[in-house]
């Protein structure tokens, strides 16, 4: 007992658990919830980048992608948790893996090895921007009203992901999106999960999201909608095909074509990661009174190191995950949440058959994403809607994230409108010089890079 107490004190002293209003138990539960919410990456990333998916023989060996995804998540999340001490998990980003696969490898005909080299170089540039605090200065130049909008926009984006995964919202050729088929068993299971999770949240249970996931999975197994695990252990393998390829093929990355690829990776990840960090930190109440992110340089550097490590291991850009908000909503406030998430990714690397029960069932984790979206949208109430110079760019930011299926697009659109309306309002002196630089950069992004 004395040893356990001493260990808890050391954890508290290192992570500042008590001073952040949390407990060790809550941090461990929050890390578990974060893992469950984002564990789908271990199934989806291999299907996007692997040679058994759409890329065919142009793709990376499937087993290697799975192992690389898990290792990259473990490494990147540990760096974020132990160094930056934020409750934010990292893993290969979904948008950038699609760019890697469909635009770079298939569209441009660039070999995946060279594409990994481009990912590595984008990470190096990220790190330079973070260490020199240029990236931090850019973040701090963003006004508080826009940061609130970013948090709410990410909430709507996360909820949309959940609704889509649940089958509650589906594609429609006539109206883009429409209501799903409520006679589908998986949709009904997701609705059940949403109902019980909401009840747990309303009751004020810490870990309500986790309880909802577990109960939904159990009901899914009993009803036959979720498969039983086919086994327990599966030894990780395949990295011999990918490890170090990014370094070996670096000379091939110094071309005009690859410069476009690297710039796109850099730009999109910059604002996706920045928006996610701001949104998650705001949800956790970790922004200071001026709306700035404490230890921003460490957090941004951790994200950059994750990208570099992931590229060397064998996967696309590793970045901060918006699903980290699920752990924050359960009370996660420190790096111990991230360390716990990393621990679960390590376990999952050896226990894929068990992990697949939840990760392969979007209807099980969908309710968690929807509830988190509700919680994040609360920041809408803090936006000064009666002042149009704030209301217009904030609204554009909020709606464009889910409607364009991109955090980066929403952030960029909002930041384009902000300095313009401030000038029209006669408040040009309040616009930080960095915002004008961003205005030009965003225009370039939409004209040359955005899809």
């Amino acid at each position: 007992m004395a040893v356990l107490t001493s260990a808890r004190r050391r954890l508290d002293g290192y992570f500042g658990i008590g001073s952040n209003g949390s407990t060790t138990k809550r941090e461990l539960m929050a890390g578990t919830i974060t893992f469950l919410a984002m564990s789908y990456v271990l199934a989806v990333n291999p299907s996007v980048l692997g040679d058994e998916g759409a890329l065919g023989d142009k793709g990376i060996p499937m087993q290697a992608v799975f192992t690389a995804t898990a290792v990259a998540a473990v490494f990147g999340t540990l760096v974020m948790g132990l160094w930056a001490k934020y409750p934010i998990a990292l893993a290969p980003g979904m948008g950038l893996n699609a760019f890697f696969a469909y635009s770079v490898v298939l569209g441009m005909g660039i070999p995946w090895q060279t594409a990994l080299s481009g990912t590595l170089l984008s990470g190096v540039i990220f790190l330079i921007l973070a260490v020199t605090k240029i990236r931090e200065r850019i973040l701090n130049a963003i006004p508080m009203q826009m940061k609130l909008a970013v948090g709410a926009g990410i909430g709507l984006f996360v909820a949309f992901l959940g609704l889509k995964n649940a089958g509650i919202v589906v594609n429609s050729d006539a109206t883009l999106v429409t209501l799903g088929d409520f006679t589908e068993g998986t949709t009904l299971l997701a609705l059940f999960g949403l109902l019980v999770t909401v009840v747990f949240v309303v009751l004020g249970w810490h870990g309500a999201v986790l309880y909802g996931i577990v109960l939904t999975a159990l009901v899914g197994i009993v009803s036959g909608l979720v498969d039983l695990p086919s086994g327990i252990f599966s030894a990780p393998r395949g990295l011999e095909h990918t490890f170090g390829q990014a370094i070996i093929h670096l000379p091939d990355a110094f071309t005009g074509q690859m410069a476009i690829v690297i710039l796109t990776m850099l730009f999109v990840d910059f604002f996706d990661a920045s928006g996610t960090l701001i949104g998650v930190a705001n949800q956790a109440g970790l922004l200071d009174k001026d709306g700035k992110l404490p230890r921003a340089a460490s957090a941004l550097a951790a994200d950059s190191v994750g990208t570099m490590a992931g590229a060397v291991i064998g996967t696309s850009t590793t970045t901060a995950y918006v699903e980290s908000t699920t752990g924050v909503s359960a009370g996660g406030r420190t790096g111990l949440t991230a360390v716990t998430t990393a621990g679960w990714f390590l376990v999952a690397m050896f226990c894929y058959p068990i992990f697949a029960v939840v990760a392969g069932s979007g209807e099980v984790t969908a309710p968690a994403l929807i509830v988190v979206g509700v919680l994040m949208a609360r920041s809408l109430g803090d936006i000064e809607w009666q002042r149009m110079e704030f209301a217009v760019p904030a609204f554009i930011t909020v709606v464009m994230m889910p409607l364009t299926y991109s955090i980066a697009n929403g952030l960029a659109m909002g930041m384009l409108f902000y300095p313009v309306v401030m000038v029209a309002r006669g408040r040009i002196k309040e616009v930080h010089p960095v915002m004008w630089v961003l205005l030009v950069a965003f225009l370039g992004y939409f004209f040359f890079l955005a899809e």
Side-chain angles (χ1 to χ4, degrees):
M1 183 64 70
V3 174
L4 183 60
T5 301
S6 177
R8 286 180 176 175
R9 287 177 179 173
R10 290 182 180 180
L11 286 175
D12 195 316
Y14 184 79
F15 291 109
I17 297 172
S19 61
N20 280 284
S22 186
T23 65
T24 300
K25 180 180 179 181
R26 194 177 300 169
E27 294 290 308
L28 295 176
M29 181 173 289
T32 301
I33 291 170
T34 298
F35 167 75
L36 290 173
M38 64 183 286
S39 58
Y40 66 85
V41 66
L42 290 169
V44 178
N45 202 43
S47 71
V48 175
L49 301 179
D51 56 2
E52 297 177 23
L55 293 183
D57 58 6
K58 294 183 179 180
I60 307 172
M62 184 71 76
Q63 183 64 44
V65 180
F66 168 72
T67 305
T69 301
V71 174
V74 170
F75 183 85
T77 304
L78 280 177
V79 173
M80 181 65 77
L82 294 174
W83 182 22
K85 300 180 182 178
Y86 276 109
I88 298 173
L90 280 68
M94 287 295 99
L96 281 165
N97 67 352
F99 172 75
F100 183 106
Y102 301 111
S103 297
V104 180
V105 177
L106 284 183
M108 299 181 182
I110 296 173
W112 60 263
Q113 296 91 337
T114 305
L116 287 176
S117 298
T119 303
L120 174 60
L121 289 175
S122 72
V124 171
I125 298 173
F126 264 131
L127 183 60
I128 293 173
L129 292 177
V131 171
T132 57
K133 294 190 176 183
I134 294 177
R135 197 173 173 187
E136 182 179 355
R137 292 192 187 99
I138 294 175
L139 274 183
N140 290 338
I142 299 174
M144 187 61 191
Q145 292 293 309
M146 294 306 298
K147 290 177 180 176
L148 292 171
V150 168
I154 292 176
L156 294 186
F157 180 75
V158 169
F160 183 70
L161 285 176
L163 292 168
K164 175 177 174 291
N165 293 343
I168 297 174
V169 172
V170 297
N171 176 66
S172 169
D173 293 335
T175 60
L176 293 182
V177 293
T178 188
L179 195 64
D181 184 359
F182 280 17
T183 64
E184 285 285 337
T186 53
T187 303
L188 288 174
L189 178 62
L191 285 170
F192 166 80
L194 178 59
L195 177 63
V196 296
T197 303
V198 168
V199 170
F200 293 156
V201 170
V202 171
L203 290 175
W205 291 7
H206 288 300
V209 177
L210 175 60
Y211 301 146
I213 289 173
V214 172
L215 185 56
T216 305
L218 290 175
V219 171
I221 291 173
V222 171
S223 62
L225 295 172
V226 177
D227 296 330
L228 282 168
S230 59
I232 299 178
F233 299 107
S234 176
R237 60 182 185 275
L239 287 186
E240 66 274 10
H241 299 295
T242 59
F243 187 82
Q245 291 297 316
I247 298 176
I248 294 173
H249 291 268
L250 268 177
D252 300 330
F254 293 96
T255 66
Q257 188 181 43
M258 280 303 298
I260 297 175
V261 171
I262 295 169
L263 182 60
T264 302
M265 291 178 174
L266 181 67
F267 201 97
V268 176
D269 188 35
F270 181 99
F271 292 106
D272 265 353
S274 299
T276 300
L277 287 171
I278 291 173
V280 176
N282 182 55
Q283 173 73 9
L286 299 176
L287 298 180
D288 63 22
K289 62 181 180 180
D290 298 319
K292 296 181 179 180
L293 183 69
R295 308 185 307 282
S298 297
L300 296 169
D303 184 83
S304 307
V305 171
T307 292
M308 294 164 59
V312 173
I313 294 167
T315 185
S316 53
T317 304
T318 301
T319 188
Y321 252 60
V322 69
E323 284 82 357
S324 299
T325 52
T326 57
V328 167
S329 71
R333 293 294 182 271
T334 75
L336 183 56
T337 293
V339 171
T340 302
T341 303
W344 281 116
F345 269 108
L346 181 61
V347 172
M349 186 165 57
F350 291 89
C351 305
Y352 180 73
I354 296 177
F355 143 81
V357 171
V358 173
S361 305
E363 62 275 10
V364 174
T365 55
L369 297 178
I370 298 170
V371 170
V372 166
V374 174
L375 297 175
M376 292 194 70
R378 290 183 299 184
S379 63
L380 287 170
D382 296 323
I383 296 174
E384 298 180 43
W385 293 106
Q386 71 279 8
R387 302 175 68 172
M388 292 303 292
E389 65 269 31
F390 295 145
V392 171
F395 179 79
I396 294 294
T397 299
V398 170
V399 299
M400 289 300 287
M401 286 188 186
L403 292 184
T404 64
Y405 211 71
S406 169
I407 293 173
N409 287 346
L411 181 62
M413 283 291 291
M415 296 305 170
L416 275 176
F417 274 81
Y418 178 77
V420 174
V421 296
M422 288 294 282
V423 170
R425 190 66 171 175
R427 302 177 63 178
I428 187 173
K429 293 182 179 180
E430 296 179 37
V431 180
H432 195 287
V434 170
M435 295 300 294
W436 294 110
V437 176
L438 290 179
L439 174 65
V440 175
F442 290 138
L443 286 173
Y445 167 69
F446 282 118
F447 277 109
F448 301 109
L449 301 178
E451 296 183 359

